[in-house]
Amino acid sequence: MAPDEAPPEGALRVYVWRCEDGRKLTMRNLFRERAIEIDLDEGTQRLDQTVSASGVRYANEGEAVVFWTKGDTARVERHGALPVPCRELRAESLREDARARGVIYRALGNEPGWTLEIGPDGTLDWTTNYGEERHVFEDAVETAGGDLTSRRFTASSAAQSIAVTVRVEPCTDDAGVAFDYAATIEFAGGTLRGCAVRLN
């Protein structure tokens, strides 16, 4: 996305929804154009934002397809068919939003809850303590492990340093979700372990 399409505070570039008819929908925000692109059975549709008394309403020309969103719920309406309720898949939305921003690896773990995004452009974006503490490191140095199955990223700021190792290894998080990568974070004298996904 172009730089001038940065989302409003708290909004994502991409959302993923699971609908009651079993479909999974991916919605991409076009903030500058006040529109979305959404993947439907007939292909990608562009829907423009329209007037709405509640939530946010999008429709294509002629309003053959209407998509409503409100918080973590949504609804698909098609001409001549019953509305289909949907609910956001938050973890997938966060992952796909990171992909759209050019993030290469996204790692997460618990105790305390943390996330780490690697990239783009050598950035390490580290959020810990359940979202209350954030550190952004620039110009991370990347090196390959001796067995070629791991990558190590190191970076420093004026006050702190961080080292991250991402390796090819089956990993399952506390929710039972399987990942192809494991991650180790060395920060502030401690070591944390979690799972990771490669996005780009």
Side-chain angles (χ1 to χ4, degrees):
M1 287 191 173
D4 59 348
E5 292 184 271
E9 184 69 27
L12 302 180
R13 290 170 171 80
V14 183
Y15 287 85
V16 181
W17 308 88
R18 172 71 70 188
C19 300
E20 288 189 0
D21 61 3
R23 287 181 300 169
K24 184 188 292 186
L25 303 179
T26 300
M27 181 193 94
R28 291 170 291 279
N29 273 312
L30 306 176
F31 296 105
R32 183 179 57 184
E33 302 171 42
R34 296 178 62 82
I36 61 171
E37 289 182 341
I38 189 165
D39 297 334
L40 300 171
D41 293 340
E42 61 270 35
T44 301
Q45 294 277 318
R46 176 197 163 103
L47 308 180
D48 294 305
Q49 187 173 341
T50 64
V51 176
S52 169
S54 178
V56 185
R57 183 181 188 270
Y58 303 92
N60 63 358
E61 187 174 355
E63 301 207 347
V65 178
V66 176
F67 190 72
W68 295 78
T69 67
K70 187 174 183 179
D72 64 352
T73 62
R75 188 171 74 238
V76 181
E77 297 179 0
R78 293 174 181 272
H79 184 69
L82 293 173
V84 179
C86 310
R87 185 166 293 276
E88 185 193 357
L89 300 174
R90 189 62 177 176
E92 294 194 32
S93 293
L94 293 170
R95 185 190 65 204
E96 293 307 314
D97 177 75
R99 191 194 308 274
R101 291 185 282 108
V103 172
I104 300 169
Y105 292 98
R106 189 169 194 271
L108 65 162
N110 295 301
E111 297 181 6
W114 58 266
T115 60
L116 176 82
E117 293 183 346
I118 302 174
D121 302 323
T123 299
L124 299 182
D125 192 335
W126 163 243
T127 303
T128 186
N129 291 331
Y130 306 98
E132 295 183 1
E133 181 182 346
R134 183 183 180 200
H135 305 271
V136 178
F137 298 86
E138 306 289 347
D139 302 318
V141 175
E142 178 182 357
T143 55
D147 59 1
L148 303 182
T149 64
S150 65
R151 311 296 295 180
R152 186 170 174 85
F153 303 83
T154 56
S156 298
S157 66
Q160 293 166 315
S161 62
I162 190 170
V164 181
T165 302
V166 180
R167 62 193 176 279
V168 179
E169 178 183 306
C171 184
T172 303
D173 69 10
D174 288 355
V177 178
F179 293 79
D180 293 330
Y181 293 82
T184 302
I185 316 295
E186 300 166 49
F187 180 77
T191 300
L192 296 171
R193 291 175 174 81
C195 299
V197 60
R198 177 156 189 157
L199 300 174
N200 290 303

